[in-house]
Amino acid sequence: MKKFKIILFALALSVSPHIYAQISSNIKWMSISEAEQAAKQQPKKIIIDIYTDWCGWCKRLDATTYKNEDIVKYINDNFYAVKLNAESKDKITFQGKDYSYDPSKKINNVATNFLSQSPGYPTTTFLSENFEVLSIVPGYMPSDQLINVLKYFGENHYQKEDWNTYLSSVSKDSKQ
């Protein structure tokens, strides 16, 4: 019996690092209400992944880009990450206002704050620490594109230079 316990303990030790690696390799998603509360306590920019359950590109974004270790680490270190189902029928509170589902438009009205005039899914929206929309980025982005966008906002490059200037400086750095 004692040997069995030792084997079980050794097995648990060998498996636990793998479990920890899986847990730590996920983005810490939260609701928009949770992100708002967290940002009030400790200001940080917010990234919002706006999706729908039927969207194939949204699922691909989750399965690929949002599983990339560099993306996961950068988002978890620099942003509050929000997962927002644009078609959620739940009441959602943001900035003291309650939002609900509009069946005529097939959208939860909170999502309209974070989408462009002609919404599509997925859409990634970046908010400042004061909840102001910094940018709305429609469509799927592979990891190599998203990391540049994350750093553009996460490192405040957007305050000093436009996107094309920033991107050309990143391209030059990667060629050296």
Side-chain angles (χ1 to χ4, degrees), residues 26-163:
N26 290 321
I27 294 172
K28 297 172 190 144
W29 296 109
M30 55 180 60
S31 72
I32 189 68
S33 303
E34 292 168 333
E36 179 182 16
Q37 292 306 311
K40 285 179 181 176
Q41 299 298 313
Q42 182 180 347
K44 225 185 215 190
K45 290 179 187 68
I46 297 172
I47 180 174
I48 306 173
D49 173 36
I50 305 165
Y51 71 98
T52 63
D53 291 334
W54 51 263
C55 168
W57 285 106
C58 301
K59 292 174 182 165
R60 183 168 179 194
L61 188 65
D62 285 340
T64 59
T65 305
Y66 288 143
K67 295 295 182 195
N68 177 286
E69 289 179 26
D70 295 332
I71 298 292
V72 170
K73 179 166 178 28
Y74 198 89
I75 289 175
N76 286 340
D77 289 350
N78 296 282
F79 294 90
Y80 292 115
V82 171
K83 203 71 145 138
L84 178 61
N85 182 346
E87 298 177 333
S88 173
K89 293 184 174 58
D90 296 334
K91 179 183 87 166
I92 298 173
T93 303
F94 179 66
Q95 293 192 308
K97 185 176 177 187
D98 291 336
Y99 294 89
S100 58
Y101 180 75
D102 181 344
S104 68
K105 296 178 183 172
K106 297 181 180 176
I107 194 167
N108 188 303
N109 287 316
V110 74
T112 60
N113 294 314
F114 311 119
L115 292 167
S116 62
Q117 294 297 329
S118 52
Y121 308 105
T123 292
T124 306
T125 300
F126 293 88
L127 303 183
S128 72
E129 296 85 347
N130 300 321
F131 313 109
E132 298 162 344
V133 174
L134 298 174
S135 185
I136 297 171
V137 184
Y140 169 84
M141 284 183 282
S143 302
D144 61 337
Q145 288 177 1
L146 182 57
I147 197 71
N148 289 329
V149 178
L150 290 170
K151 289 180 178 181
Y152 181 68
F153 293 108
E155 297 169 9
N156 296 321
H157 294 283
Y158 72 96
Q159 294 175 342
K160 301 172 265 187
E161 57 193 343
D162 66 50
W163 170 248

